Amino acid sequence: MALVVAILPRVIIGILPYFFVKGFNRLITLKKIKEKTSLFLTGLVTTIIHTFLVMGAIAVVFYDAYAQAIDVSSVSGVIVAVFTVFLSNGIGEAIVAAFIVMTVVPPLLKISDQSKSK
């Protein structure tokens, strides 16, 4: 089960960004800010989903061990702990990832377009 927690969210996240970029590009009509904004939003949303999937999977699959590690005895205690980690680490991580995606991907797209045209 640990492999499911480790691999499944990463496989899902490997597929979703393509659809997010396409969707955000359709929603954003200003050509000048379209690419960077859609990349920023894609990085933000994708990272939030990934964090939610990983933390949720940990809470479900390793409930007993997680509850023991944080010293709680109820489902609500585990949910609060997972939500706290999600808010304290996940949101900051998502913002950083969004900026990284927004700055790293455009040059990679240019290189990719150049190699396609050859």
Side-chain angles (χ1 to χ4, degrees), residues 43-44 47-48 50-51 88-100:
L44 186 75
T47 305
I48 288 172
H50 178 262
T51 302
S88 64
N89 296 347
I91 301 301
E93 178 183 342
I95 292 169
V96 170
F99 280 107
I100 291 171

Side-chain angles (χ1 to χ4, degrees), residues 19-28 34 38 41-42 45:
F19 296 106
F20 283 132
V21 167
K22 294 295 181 188
F24 288 135
N25 279 339
R26 287 186 188 152
L27 291 174
I28 301 168
K34 185 177 192 175
S38 65
L41 291 173
T42 297
V45 171

Side-chain angles (χ1 to χ4, degrees), residues 1-109:
M1 288 308 274
L3 288 176
V4 171
V5 172
I7 295 172
L8 186 63
R10 285 157 181 85
V11 170
I12 292 170
I13 292 305
I15 299 166
L16 289 179
Y18 170 80
F19 296 106
F20 283 132
V21 167
K22 294 295 181 188
F24 288 135
N25 279 339
R26 287 186 188 152
L27 291 174
I28 301 168
T29 57
L30 295 174
K31 189 85 169 169
K32 186 176 182 180
I33 63 167
K34 185 177 192 175
E35 181 181 75
K36 288 204 176 204
T37 303
S38 65
L39 289 172
F40 180 87
L41 291 173
T42 297
L44 186 75
V45 171
T46 304
T47 305
I48 288 172
I49 291 171
H50 178 262
T51 302
F52 177 76
L53 289 173
V54 170
M55 292 305 299
I58 288 171
V60 170
V61 173
F62 301 113
Y63 169 77
D64 293 330
Y66 197 70
Q68 184 179 5
I70 61 173
D71 197 30
V72 296
S73 59
S74 66
V75 173
S76 63
V78 171
I79 292 171
V80 167
V82 167
F83 194 64
T84 301
V85 171
F86 177 76
L87 288 177
S88 64
N89 296 347
I91 301 301
E93 178 183 342
I95 292 169
V96 170
F99 280 107
I100 291 171
V101 168
M102 184 179 71
T103 56
V104 170
V105 172
L108 294 175
L109 290 175

